[in-house]
Amino acid sequence: MEAAAAPESVTQGGGLEVVVFPWLAFGHMIPFLELSKRLAARGHAVAFVSTPRNLARLQPADGVRFVPLPLPSVEGLPEGAEATSDVPPDEVSLLKKAMDGLAVPLAAFLAGSAGRRRTDWIIVDFCHHWVPPIADRHKVPCALFMIFPAATMAFWGPRWANAANPRTEPEDFAVPPKWMPFPSTAFFLRHEAEWVAGSFRANSSGVSDAERLWEIMERCRLTIHRSCHELEPGMFALLSDLNRKPAVPAGILLPCHEEENNQSSSSSSQALRWLHDKPPKSVLYVALGSEAPLTRENIHELALGLELAGVRFLWALRKPVSTAGRNDYDGELLPAGFEERTLGRGVVCTGWVPQVKALAHAATGAFLTHCGWGSTVESFAFGHPLVMLPFIIDQPMIARAMAERGVGVAVARNESDGGSFTRDGVAAAVRHVMVEDQGKILAANAKKMQELLVDQPRQDQYIHDLVDHLRRYKDA
C-alpha cells in the first residue's frame, strides 16, 4: 500500500462539508469522532451532531464543530438520559424513540446550513432510517458508517438476501448465512442468538433494528466500515456485492490516549498510579464496557474468579444501570471480603478509568474484555492477548474471531442455561492467558497483530481512499 498522500484540500482544491451523526452510545460516538478528526485534519469541514449532554462528555477536536440537538422527552425514559450508558438495556429502545424525534431539528439544521454552502455528505449510523428522506430534500447524499466489524454486517445481510433466506428462530442464526461464500465465525450459539433474533422484531420505538439498517443501506450511496483488509480479507468485496454499492474500509481508527475522553476523576488518577510500581506485563486489565447486562451473580463470579486466578488485576467496574423501580444493585456490589483478600495485588475502580491509557501502560499484560469492537480494536494497538467474556450484540462473534486468530481465550459458558459462567471458568481462562505457557503463544500472536495494524502510513491510506470515494460518489 502506498504512503499517505498530501491533504486532499491541497491536492484537489478544497475540502468537503460533512455532517456526522452517530447513534447515542459512546461505543458509536467515539469512533464517529475519530473519523471526524481524520477528515478535519485533511482540510474537510465536519459538523458532529449529537445531544448537548453527550457533546459535553466528549473531547473537542480541532476542525470539528459540535452541533447540539436537544433530545425530546419520551414517556418512560429517565430525565437527562441521552446515551445508552444512562439507561438499562431494556430501555434502550425508548432512547431510539427519543432519537427519532430529532428529525425536525436535524432538518432545521440542514436548512440553516444551506446559506453557507451545500453540505456534501451526511454520515449516519445504523438506526437513522429517517435521515435519508430529509437528506434527499436538501439534495445531500448519505453514507452509512458501521462501527462493527464488516463480518457483522455480512451476517445481518441486506433485505433481499434475508427475504430469499428467511431467518425467524434463534437456531437460524446458529450457522453462517447462506450468502457467506467462505468459512466464517459469523454465527451465534443458541444462548447468544435470542438477541440477534430480536433485532428483526419491532421494539418499543415501533421499528426493528433490522428495518432501520435495511432502509439506510438501501438509500445510502456507500457504506464505511471501521475495519481493514488486513483484519477481514475478502469481506469488503462481499459486502459491496451484497449491498450493491461500495463498502469502504476506513481503517481501525485507533484513538490517541493523549486525547482520551475528557472525563477525569481522582479514582482514574489513583488507578493509573497503582499501575506505576507493578512489574512489566504483570497486570490483567478488566473492563466490560458500559452496557454489559451484568447481574450481581455475574459480578460475584467474576470477582471470585479473579481471586482464584491469583494474578494482579485492575478492574474498571461500572455499576450497572438498574431498571426503574428495581433495586438490583443496592448494598455491596462485590463479594464480602473480596477487596480485603486481594489487597495489594488487585484494585477495583468504580469511577472513570481512561481505558486506552490503562492498556498503554507498561504494567498491563492482558485484557479481560467483553469484546465490543471498540475495546477489541484498542487492544490491537498494544498487542495484548485477551480473556474474553462477551455478552450482547456481536461480541460473541468477535470473541470467536479472536480465538480463531489465536489472540484470546474465552471464559467457558453454560449454553444450556443461557450462558452462565463460573468463578472456576474465569480463573481457568485468566491463568491460561497470564500464567500458563500457552499464554506466551497468545501474546506473540497479539504482538504480530499489533505490528500489522499499527502502521500509520497504511491506516492513513485508508482515509485517503475513503475521501476519494466521498469525492467520486457525492454527485453520482
Side-chain angles (χ1 to χ4, degrees), residues 389-438:
L389 189 58
F391 285 91
I392 56 172
I393 317 178
D394 60 345
Q395 294 165 9
M397 228 160 49
I398 294 170
R400 275 188 285 280
M402 295 302 105
E404 185 177 71
R405 283 181 169 268
V407 298
V409 171
V411 173
R413 308 295 275 266
N414 185 345
E415 188 172 351
S416 66
D417 70 358
S420 67
F421 62 91
T422 67
R423 64 198 72 177
D424 292 328
V426 171
V430 169
R431 286 196 295 262
H432 192 94
V433 173
M434 293 287 289
V435 178
E436 297 169 6
D437 288 343
Q438 183 68 20

Side-chain angles (χ1 to χ4, degrees), residues 1 3 29 45 57 61 95 125 153 178 189 191 206 211-212 241 250 267 292 318 326 342 374 392 400 402 439 447 476:
M1 188 172 289
M29 287 182 269
R57 291 185 282 187
L95 196 62
D125 214 327
M153 294 306 303
K178 293 180 180 179
L189 301 180
H191 76 268
E211 183 62 30
R212 290 174 182 271
D241 288 343
S267 61
R318 298 188 186 181
R326 298 183 193 165
T342 57
I392 56 172
R400 275 188 285 280
M402 295 302 105
K447 189 68 177 176

Side-chain angles (χ1 to χ4, degrees), residues 127-144:
C127 51
H128 296 94
H129 66 298
W130 44 267
V131 171
I134 296 171
D136 287 348
R137 291 199 294 272
H138 293 274
K139 297 181 171 56
V140 180
C142 288
L144 169 63

Side-chain angles (χ1 to χ4, degrees), residues 292-314:
L294 294 169
T295 64
R296 184 189 295 274
E297 182 182 4
N298 292 154
I299 293 171
H300 281 208
E301 290 301 311
L302 177 53
L304 295 171
L306 293 172
E307 183 179 347
L308 282 173
V311 304
R312 294 184 182 91
F313 63 88
L314 168 60

Side-chain angles (χ1 to χ4, degrees), residues 46-61:
V46 182
F48 187 97
V49 176
S50 191
T51 63
R53 186 166 180 238
N54 288 336
L55 293 177
R57 291 185 282 187
L58 293 172
Q59 182 72 36

